[in-house]
Amino acid sequence: MTYLELSEDGGGSHKFYEVTVAGTQVTITYGRIGEAGQTKVTAFPTEAKAQTAAAKKLAEKARKGYAPAVRGVRQRRAVTRRAIASTRSTAQQAPVLWRFDSGASAFGIFVDEERCWVGNQRGDVYTLGHSGTVTGRFRLPDGVKCIVADDFWIYAGCDDGRVYDLSGKVPRAAYEIAHDVDIYWLDIHDGVLGVSDRAGRVTAIDYEDEFQWARTAGGDSAWMVRCDQDSVYFGHSGGVARYDIADGTPVWETKTVDHVLFGWQEEHSVYAGTGRRTVHRLAKDDGRVEAVYRCDGAVYSCATSPGGRHVFAGDNHSSVYCFDATGRRLWKLGTGCGSAFSMQYLDERLYIVTTDGTLACIDASEAAIAAAQSGDVPQPVDVKAAASLAVVEPSVVLETTSEVGDGVVVECVSEGERLRVRVVTPGYESWNVQFPKEIREAGARYLVDGVRSAGRGGFYRAYGDIRRLL
């Protein structure tokens, strides 16, 4: 057994790599220092080939800076928490219709026509109806950094470096981010995931959880990443940049908009909220500044109404703002429940998640805002989760059936060291199929076990079983 570590100062890599050779079998375990990590087992025809393969892997890691170490001497590095001071607003109270205390600081939010999602630093994810009724609860292994959607799939990025798919009955890990990536924010479009991180990098990963490209910018604390069909828009302490989504080719960079703390996008523009008390609207085609929206504090979050007709912002003084498209301030009001880390607008309502863990629904209609400016606001409803509400946790258990019914049949296909999933039923695009990481890995192990136990016949029986399972 050979154990290596790579630990860099300044928040860089902090990971281990262990190789064990037992006869013709090579076991590789890797991950973040202080964690169990992932394990991969490979069988070789002879002991000599197993030793050669192990030596090759170790030499590759040595060239990347890994060195022999003793397990347990270095401790797990603390995960970054977005702990930023928030003061009480001196503005008039906003018309909050209802508010829900999630139990810990939160900045994961997604709102669609059906429900509202909120995720907090304890790993709790709740769903609520638009009237404020709690309808579901998930518990993920670590703090939720953000929640995003891709068509009808819902994903949560967590402090354990994984991105969980919340679209099914139970959460499943869909993407495994590199072990040296401390997720700050993520976005997704058509299965391609964009991740911004603490070190000022942006990483793109495709729908089968395969690394595509990464770029390091001239800054750190990258809180902004937005994806569309063509590009990834990336903001950090040193500016905002656009990269081609396919290969990471730089398209433009705007260094005058720096200290970025949040990002939003519309069809033709991206919005960058900054620590300099501004939101900048940038043209997607060339990065030019189209408008500036000025607040009275550092901007933690921003959003727009459809088409960018109105622009909303939340600052570090627990205030929320509304501007017209040109940059004229229309109103400023206090949240009464902390500073908005994230926000989203839908149907004349502004939904925010705050530093004290509250998901709040603000009536942003003209009549409600006018009344609030004169001091007339409704009494907010304090929403509670029912004690009997079931908590759904991640699972790696495969649910099996022999009945196809009206479902879609897929098959697992081995391509080198990868296990691909392809649709057999006609009329579907196979390249857009994504299955949870644990299912793909379990399927690969099952196929290997079939070959070992019963030769070629066992392989085809296992292959057929996996096809039916999925």
Side-chain angles (χ1 to χ4, degrees), residues 20 45 129 141 323 463:
T20 302
F323 303 86
Y463 183 94

Side-chain angles (χ1 to χ4, degrees), residues 252-391:
W252 53 256
E253 183 178 16
T254 301
K255 292 185 177 181
T256 55
V257 182
D258 58 2
H259 289 76
V260 178
L261 297 178
F262 197 81
W264 188 261
Q265 71 169 328
E266 287 290 335
E267 183 178 1
H268 301 294
S269 303
V270 288
Y271 298 77
T274 77
R276 299 191 183 279
R277 305 183 177 188
T278 57
V279 177
H280 292 256
R281 187 177 86 229
L282 307 175
K284 282 188 173 182
D285 57 358
D286 58 9
R288 70 185 183 281
V289 177
E290 298 177 315
V292 179
Y293 310 88
R294 301 191 181 279
C295 302
D296 300 325
V299 178
Y300 286 171
S301 59
C302 57
T304 67
S305 62
R309 181 169 177 263
H310 291 106
V311 177
F312 302 92
D315 71 9
N316 64 338
H317 299 311
S318 303
S319 298
V320 289
Y321 303 76
C322 178
F323 303 86
D324 68 14
T326 67
R328 180 170 64 95
R329 185 190 292 187
L330 302 178
W331 51 262
K332 170 188 175 182
L333 297 167
T335 69
C337 54
S339 298
F341 270 155
S342 299
M343 59 172 54
Q344 192 170 339
Y345 176 90
L346 180 69
D347 295 337
E348 294 194 320
R349 293 186 176 186
L350 184 65
Y351 298 85
I352 64 172
V353 288
T354 71
T355 47
D356 69 4
T358 298
L359 169 63
C361 175
I362 298 172
D363 187 344
S365 65
E366 290 187 15
I369 295 300
Q373 289 175 318
S374 64
D376 182 13
V377 294
Q379 178 64 37
V381 175
D382 286 312
V383 176
K384 303 292 184 183
S388 59
L389 185 67
V391 180

Side-chain angles (χ1 to χ4, degrees), residues 43-300:
F44 293 88
T46 66
E47 293 185 8
K49 289 188 176 181
Q51 292 285 351
T52 299
K56 181 180 178 181
K57 291 290 186 182
L58 291 169
E60 290 174 355
K61 294 301 176 182
R63 287 194 293 272
K64 293 180 179 180
Y66 283 78
V70 177
R71 184 187 289 272
V73 174
R74 286 193 180 98
Q75 299 300 306
R76 176 178 177 175
R77 181 178 286 166
V79 175
T80 302
R81 302 293 189 188
R82 192 176 183 179
I84 305 176
S86 173
T87 58
R88 187 174 181 84
S89 177
T90 58
Q92 291 275 34
Q93 173 63 43
V96 175
L97 299 177
W98 55 262
R99 57 196 179 195
F100 169 67
D101 183 0
S102 72
S105 180
F107 46 91
I109 184 177
F110 178 75
V111 181
D112 60 18
E113 299 291 342
E114 295 183 2
R115 54 193 162 182
C116 312
W117 297 76
V118 59
N120 67 25
Q121 291 275 233
R122 292 198 311 207
D124 292 317
V125 177
Y126 294 89
T127 61
L128 294 88
H130 293 293
S131 62
T133 303
V134 181
T135 57
R137 181 182 180 184
F138 300 89
R139 176 166 291 153
L140 300 180
D142 216 328
V144 177
K145 278 288 200 291
C146 54
I147 301 175
V148 295
D150 190 22
D151 200 357
F152 54 81
W153 284 278
I154 302 291
Y155 298 96
C158 293
D159 284 336
D160 65 355
R162 289 185 169 189
V163 178
Y164 292 86
D165 180 358
L166 304 180
S167 309
K169 291 186 292 185
V170 296
R172 294 190 184 274
Y175 297 86
E176 181 86 31
I177 311 304
H179 294 286
D180 57 344
V181 174
D182 186 354
I183 299 173
Y184 267 20
W185 206 258
L186 58 87
D187 197 16
I188 189 168
H189 181 83
D190 200 20
V192 178
L193 184 74
V195 182
S196 59
D197 67 34
R198 176 186 180 188
R201 288 170 297 187
V202 58
T203 304
I205 301 166
D206 73 7
Y207 71 95
E208 283 196 327
D209 192 23
E210 289 189 342
F211 172 83
Q212 288 200 166
W213 54 265
R215 296 288 180 270
T216 300
D220 55 23
S221 302
W223 287 112
M224 171 185 172
V225 61
R226 294 291 173 180
C227 304
D228 62 19
Q229 66 273 15
D230 300 314
S231 305
V232 176
Y233 305 89
F234 175 55
H236 49 85
S237 66
V240 180
R242 173 185 169 185
Y243 298 95
D244 186 280
I245 198 167
D247 58 13
T249 300
V251 179
W252 53 256
E253 183 178 16
T254 301
K255 292 185 177 181
T256 55
V257 182
D258 58 2
H259 289 76
V260 178
L261 297 178
F262 197 81
W264 188 261
Q265 71 169 328
E266 287 290 335
E267 183 178 1
H268 301 294
S269 303
V270 288
Y271 298 77
T274 77
R276 299 191 183 279
R277 305 183 177 188
T278 57
V279 177
H280 292 256
R281 187 177 86 229
L282 307 175
K284 282 188 173 182
D285 57 358
D286 58 9
R288 70 185 183 281
V289 177
E290 298 177 315
V292 179
Y293 310 88
R294 301 191 181 279
C295 302
D296 300 325
V299 178
Y300 286 171

